[in-house]
Amino acid sequence: MKGNMTVMGVAPLIAVPSFLYLGAAIALHYALFPLFAFTPAPGLAMRIAGAVLIAFGLFMLVYSGLGVLYAFRTQRLLTGGFFAVFPNPMYAGFVLAIVPGLALVLDSWLVLTGSAVLYALFRALIPSEDRWLKEQFGAQYDEYRKRVLVKAF
């Protein structure tokens, strides 16, 4: 394969500051509780909805991550499953499901801002992965990007 991208891509560059931000947001949420709470008394339904979002996001992450490992080893472009919806489903799972789910479970709108931080880092750093994929797969990658449903990821 051309280039020097690893199977991890830019994930560590996105994950480290995102997790540091989320850790700080969670600590601040608890230190200043209830300042950042969505509600005065979160109900069980909100926590269950959060847990469901987290579970779905983790499923997206693991399922897509296993696909990436296989595709990287076999030098194939992933276009099915979650990749038919999002060109980067692992990031989408974090931004759209895991972090919002965590915010609901913890009853914290400050934690929810972690999705914006993660998405901003993603948008800033993902172009290098896109260039690498274009280099590897050429027109096949261009056609895939035209067909994928959610272009924002």
Side-chain angles (χ1 to χ4, degrees), residues 4-148:
N4 58 356
M5 186 71 62
T6 70
V7 70
M8 294 294 288
V10 296
L13 299 174
I14 294 171
V16 170
S18 295
F19 291 155
L20 289 173
Y21 179 87
L22 282 172
I26 291 168
L28 195 55
H29 169 75
Y30 281 111
L32 300 175
F33 190 81
L35 183 62
F36 300 112
F38 288 122
T39 64
L44 182 60
M46 189 167 103
R47 295 188 195 265
I48 290 171
V52 168
L53 278 173
I54 292 168
F56 180 71
L58 289 173
F59 175 73
M60 280 180 71
L61 179 69
V62 170
Y63 183 82
S64 300
L66 291 173
V68 167
L69 290 173
Y70 174 76
F72 197 82
R73 265 193 325 228
T74 60
Q75 299 180 14
R76 295 175 192 222
L77 180 64
L78 291 174
T79 60
F82 289 117
F83 287 91
V85 179
F86 304 101
N88 297 285
M90 292 164 35
Y91 299 118
F94 267 104
V95 171
L96 300 174
I98 295 172
V99 173
L102 184 61
L104 288 174
V105 167
L106 297 176
D107 185 30
S108 175
W109 63 262
L110 185 60
V111 170
L112 184 60
T113 65
S115 280
V117 169
L118 204 157
Y119 187 71
L121 288 165
F122 163 79
R123 294 299 294 178
L125 296 170
I126 204 65
S128 63
E129 278 189 22
D130 287 333
R131 283 189 298 276
W132 185 82
L133 287 163
K134 168 77 172 144
E135 194 178 287
Q136 302 306 305
F137 299 105
Q140 181 186 6
Y141 184 67
D142 291 337
E143 287 302 313
Y144 162 68
R145 287 304 300 241
K146 288 177 190 171
R147 287 190 320 268
V148 74

